[in-house]
């Protein structure tokens, strides 16, 4: 059960499942049963969270393949209203999906940045295929600009589909280095194997120094009949404020 002085954040890649599909309904139900404060859905649909009430915002992001009109790279949901909404970020972030906004919960105001980082072979529709990892590296350079200029007075959570294992298991060493550089000053609380599912994730949460992870666990990607819901499992993190008094003599 969630502590009264904590906040629960959940992220899951819905794998382009429409809101009325068995898979999406099951995933949303599982997330809703956790009573989250914030959810970040990637490769989802506008309106995916309608049954939860609350407040949803989303951005379409770049199109990598044929999409329906309501498909969104990032859908952010909060129990409380969003303010200071940014659906663009900067030009470099247009290679993927990006949504940022501020919301309020028991631990106070938090800046939430939802990401759908380009996969290693991503290329926008209608242009010649891009070099592997090039779109991701461009995106992460844009992300660095957003994070390095953040308001230091407000805690920040960056979450979503990072399309990288942390620490790196395979793939581009350069992209791994650029990700680390982009998140300078934040800590990835979802590195390594995720409890419950006992697998490493490519869906992550990175926290500013004001925040700490009180617990981290995965949400199974199969239903009770063993049928796959998504090619990603969900990730849930309970967050609390860092007690600065503990460091004082």
């Amino acid at each position: 059960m969630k502590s009264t002085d904590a906040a629960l954040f959940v992220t899951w890649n819905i794998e382009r499942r429409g809101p009325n599909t068995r898979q999406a309904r099951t995933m949303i139900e599982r997330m809703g049963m956790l009573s989250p404060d914030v959810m970040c859905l990637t490769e989802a649909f506008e309106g995916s969270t309608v049954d939860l009430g609350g407040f949803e915002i989303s951005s379409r992001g770049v199109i990598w393949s044929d999409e329906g009109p309501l498909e969104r790279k990032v859908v952010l949901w909060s129990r409380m209203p969003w303010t200071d909404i940014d659906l663009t970020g900067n030009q470099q972030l247009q290679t993927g999906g990006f949504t940022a906004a501020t919301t309020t919960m028991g631990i106070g105001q938090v800046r939430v940045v939802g990401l759908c980082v380009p996969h290693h072979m991503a290329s926008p529709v209608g242009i010649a295929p891009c070099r592997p990892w090039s779109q991701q590296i461009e995106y992460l350079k844009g992300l660095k600009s957003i994070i390095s200029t953040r308001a230091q007075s407000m805690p920040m959570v960056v979450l979503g589909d990072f399309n990288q294992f942390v620490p790196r298991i395979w793939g581009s060493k350069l992209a791994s280095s650029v990700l680390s550089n982009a998140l300078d000053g934040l800590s990835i609380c979802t590195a390594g194997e995720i409890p419950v599912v006992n697998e490493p994730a490519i869906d992550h949460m990175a926290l500013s120094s004001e925040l700490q992870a009180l617990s981290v666990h995965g949400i199974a990607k199969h239903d009770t009949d063993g049928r796959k819901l998504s090619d990603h499992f969900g990730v849930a993190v309970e967050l609390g404020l860092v007690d600065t008094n503990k460091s004082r003599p």
Side-chain angles (χ1 to χ4, degrees):
M1 185 175 180
K2 185 175 66 177
S3 169
T4 56
D5 56 355
L8 187 69
F9 282 63
V10 181
T11 187
W12 206 336
N13 183 306
I14 302 298
E15 201 187 2
R16 305 179 68 180
R17 306 294 189 185
N20 294 322
T21 62
R22 168 187 62 84
Q23 296 94 328
R25 290 197 305 270
T26 302
M27 287 185 275
I28 296 297
E29 180 181 344
R30 287 184 178 181
M31 288 184 278
M33 289 175 63
L34 299 174
S35 297
D37 294 280
V38 169
M39 298 193 318
C40 176
L41 311 181
T42 53
E43 295 191 307
F45 279 69
E46 182 180 298
S48 291
T49 66
V50 66
D51 290 341
L52 300 179
F55 301 86
E56 178 185 292
I57 56 175
S58 63
S59 63
R60 184 165 194 177
V62 72
I63 299 176
W64 295 321
S65 60
D66 292 341
E67 292 183 356
L70 295 180
E71 287 197 57
R72 301 291 181 263
K73 288 290 184 296
V74 179
V75 174
L76 283 182
W77 176 91
S78 174
R79 189 172 301 280
M80 300 298 290
W82 295 106
T83 60
D84 299 323
I85 297 168
D86 179 1
L87 303 181
T88 303
N90 54 45
Q91 185 61 38
Q92 289 169 300
L93 290 166
Q94 300 314 297
T95 61
F98 172 90
T99 302
T102 300
T103 190
T104 304
M105 56 203 72
I107 60 175
Q109 280 196 320
V110 176
R111 186 66 173 171
V112 181
V113 179
L115 309 180
C116 187
V117 179
H119 58 87
H120 72 292
M121 295 300 291
S123 287
V125 167
I127 69 169
C130 297
R131 288 179 291 106
W133 299 99
S134 62
Q135 297 297 281
Q136 181 173 132
I137 289 170
E138 181 75 1
Y139 183 100
L140 294 172
K141 289 178 177 177
L143 179 62
K144 177 177 175 59
S145 176
I146 295 291
I147 293 174
S148 64
T149 58
R150 78 177 185 90
Q152 298 294 319
S153 59
M154 185 180 298
M156 173 182 277
V157 177
V158 179
L159 76 168
D161 186 352
F162 285 33
N163 263 310
Q164 282 197 40
F165 292 107
V166 180
R168 186 179 69 88
I169 295 174
W170 71 275
S172 166
K173 291 182 179 179
L174 175 58
S176 178
S177 175
V178 175
L179 173 62
S180 179
N181 187 46
L183 297 176
D184 186 36
L186 306 184
S187 60
I188 299 179
C189 63
T190 47
E193 287 194 356
I194 303 297
V196 177
V197 296
N198 299 318
E199 295 181 43
I202 61 172
D203 304 273
H204 293 289
M205 296 190 203
L207 316 177
S208 63
S209 60
E210 302 88 353
L211 298 168
Q212 60 181 326
L214 305 177
S215 68
V216 177
H217 74 267
I219 309 170
K221 61 184 177 183
H222 293 88
D223 65 17
T224 54
D225 294 326
R227 295 175 295 177
K228 190 176 75 169
L229 301 170
S230 169
D231 55 353
H232 296 237
F233 56 83
V235 178
V237 178
E238 188 177 17
L239 301 177
L241 294 171
V242 172
D243 186 355
T244 56
N245 291 324
K246 287 185 177 180
S247 61
R248 298 176 182 173

